[in-house]
Structures are given as C-alpha cells and as structure tokens.
Amino acid sequence: MKTCHILGVPVQTGASRKGCIMGPAALRTAGLPDTLRQLGWDVTDLGDARPDQYQNVNHTNPAVHHLPDMVAWTSSLTRHALQMARTCDVPVFMGGDHSMSAGTVAGIAQHAAELNQPQFVLWLDAHTDLHTLHTTTSGNLHGTPVAYFTGQTGFEGLPPLAAPVDPHNMYMMGIRSVDPEEKRHARDIGVTVFDMRTLDESGVIRPLTHFLERVEHAGGRLHVSLDVDFLDPEIAPGGGTVVPGGITFREAHLIMEILHDSGLVTSLDLAELNPFLDIRGKTAHLLTDLTASLFGRHIL
C-alpha cells in the first residue's frame, strides 16, 4: 500500500488578503484525508506545521512586509518536507498561501538530491511567482517562491538552499497574470511557460505530455504545486488573487488524471485556498476532488 503524509501549512502573511490560514482546516472538513484512504492509500495526517523562531530580518525594499514570517516558515517547512519525503511515497502540503512553496519545494528538492535524481516542478498557477525581494512592488511574498527555490539572487536573510531546482526543470501551466519584471526573469533563467493562449490553441494534453516525457526520460522526481487561481474563479471562487479565464473543471480533472496515469508525481502543494472568500466550501471540495483524481480516482 502506498503511503501519503499530509501536513497543514496555516500561513497567510505572504498574501494581501487574510483567510488562507483556514485553508488546511477547510480541506480536512471537505474530507481530503478520508478521500485518499478510500482510494487505497495509507494516509497519516501530521497536523499543522508551525514556523521556526522569528528573527529580526529587514530588507532595503520598503514594500516588503512580513519577511520574518517567511523566513521562519521557510526554515520550518524545508525541514518538514525533507523528513516527509524520506518517510512516505507522496507528501501533501495543504496551504496556506503560496509563499509556503519556498520551503516545501526546497525540502523536496533536497531529498531528490540525496537520491541523485533531478527535481522537476509543475507550477499550476495564474502567476509565475518569480519576483525577488528586490523586484516586488506589492511586497506580497507569495509572489516570490519560484525565484527563491530556483536559486535566484535577491533573497538575503532566507535560509541558504541545499539543492536549488534547475529553472529548466520548471514548467508552468495556466499563466495569465505576469508583471514585466517576471516576464524578463522567466526568459532569462529558462523557465518554460504554457500560458492560457498556448493552452487555448493546443489544449492541455500536448504540453503536459511533452513535459512528463521529459521528466520520465531524465529519471526525475515531480512536485506539483496547485494554486487555486490556476482554476477559473467561476468554479473556484475561494482564492485571494483569482484571475478570470482560468482552467475549466474538466480540463483540471483531465490534467490530474494524466498526472496520475504517468506515475511520476512524488509530492503535492495545495495553495491559496481562502475559505473566507469561498462559497459554501465549493473550492475546498473541488481541490479535494482534484486531489482524488491525482491519486487514482477514475469514472470507471
């Protein structure tokens, strides 16, 4: 029986709107752990993570806020993710805003390096989250994790990375809201971006299949980071930075089913669920159902 460890990450200081702190509780209420058990997984719910001790960390960019929070959470989650990856088949991190991925991916990638395997990341999001502490104008640090865990400069004060993710192993789908600085950064470091125009023209199957073939050929490990705003707000209203024109219900399930069929996924983030903005648990239930598709639920 395959094993899955689940960890709640009740962090909201990386976002501009409060409420993501309730995300893990909402996913538990929606039945995510029991749903995975019903699919034959041995599930252990580890409860909620806590940040490490806060330090007095400042930055020259006056827009940056809650930097000590991000440092404390990143340090804690890197350690938790590394231990979870060592002790189960698929760790699942329930957020919490997307700043959590600075730590979850850093820890997962460290485990891949221990196994001498390349770490790949599939970033399902409306945003690239490629700002550094120097380039962010909003100061919202959920817009920085990709730049951090791919080893870009401009993260003074954050924990040094044991194993940065190669930007060429970063694939993004559903992108439709990108700042000019992030566009330049994505081009410069070699991130592959399938924006919504690409998906409108080609569908989701061809780019996703191409990416999975590359992961398999490299013998890599695959982390999937799913942000609520990857989905169209008509089906997933419970996010603080929703953007119209996102992935549809059927496209989202198809992506998850293809990922399951590949057998390549080794870890998962569920980020940016804000129950305060949700409608009768609609988004929490959808994320639970999508996770079920990723873990093996089929119509027949």
Side-chain angles (χ1 to χ4, degrees):
M1 182 181 293
K2 286 190 174 183
T3 56
C4 169
H5 290 179
I6 294 176
L7 182 69
V9 187
V11 57
Q12 65 179 5
T13 50
S16 60
R17 306 179 72 173
K18 293 182 179 180
C20 285
I21 195 172
M22 301 182 288
L27 288 167
R28 291 188 178 99
T29 302
L32 191 146
D34 286 339
T35 297
L36 300 186
R37 291 187 183 105
Q38 291 166 10
L39 292 169
W41 285 77
D42 180 2
V43 177
T44 302
D45 189 340
L46 301 175
D48 288 349
R50 300 182 63 180
D52 283 349
Q53 185 174 355
Y54 284 65
Q55 303 174 19
N56 184 20
V57 184
N58 298 302
H59 198 267
T60 55
N61 181 352
V64 170
H65 58 86
H66 291 101
L67 181 57
D69 299 75
M70 184 174 180
V71 172
W73 274 109
T74 300
S75 175
S76 171
L77 291 173
T78 299
R79 187 175 62 255
H80 279 295
L82 175 60
Q83 182 61 21
M84 289 168 69
R86 287 171 172 171
T87 54
C88 76
D89 293 311
V90 181
V92 176
F93 307 96
M94 304 187 302
D97 72 64
H98 223 158
S99 66
M100 74 179 199
S101 295
T104 62
V105 178
I108 290 295
Q110 186 173 343
H111 178 59
E114 290 176 344
L115 299 175
N116 198 29
Q117 292 179 273
Q119 181 68 59
F120 288 79
V121 177
L122 178 60
W123 196 257
L124 304 177
D125 200 331
H127 308 88
T128 60
D129 293 349
L130 266 170
H131 275 297
T132 71
L133 300 184
H134 293 283
T135 64
T136 177
T137 56
S138 69
N140 299 327
L141 297 181
H142 65 173
T144 65
V146 176
Y148 169 73
F149 67 65
T150 56
Q152 308 309 304
T153 59
F155 287 96
E156 301 85 354
L158 269 79
L161 289 163
V165 174
D166 185 341
H168 294 93
N169 292 348
M170 277 293 312
Y171 275 59
M172 300 183 172
M173 293 182 69
I175 303 299
R176 56 194 185 279
S177 178
V178 188
D179 293 340
E181 187 66 24
E182 291 179 296
K183 292 181 183 179
R184 182 195 64 77
H185 208 179
R187 288 193 299 266
D188 288 349
I189 68 176
V191 171
T192 299
V193 178
F194 298 115
D195 62 12
M196 284 308 299
R197 173 173 177 172
T198 302
L199 300 184
D200 286 342
E201 292 175 345
S202 67
V204 299
I205 296 176
R206 187 168 65 185
L208 180 58
T209 301
H210 173 75
F211 168 57
L212 293 174
E213 288 172 349
R214 182 161 178 254
V215 177
E216 184 174 23
H217 180 74
R221 298 178 67 80
L222 175 56
H223 179 81
V224 176
S225 195
L226 172 60
D227 189 306
V228 165
D229 64 33
F230 173 67
L231 307 162
D232 192 88
E234 289 293 320
I235 62 168
T241 53
V242 295
V243 182
I247 293 294
T248 67
F249 179 91
R250 188 56 236 156
E251 287 172 328
H253 273 286
L254 178 59
I255 289 168
M256 294 300 151
E257 290 163 4
I258 292 172
L259 286 170
H260 170 262
D261 292 345
S262 76
L264 294 169
V265 177
T266 51
S267 49
L268 173 68
D269 290 332
L270 300 170
E272 296 285 347
L273 174 60
N274 188 329
F276 189 74
L277 303 174
D278 205 2
I279 301 172
R280 297 188 295 278
K282 182 177 182 179
T283 309
H285 283 292
L286 177 56
L287 287 181
T288 298
D289 286 342
L290 290 173
T291 304
S293 290
L294 177 60
F295 276 68
R297 178 190 285 172
H298 291 292
I299 296 171
L300 296 175

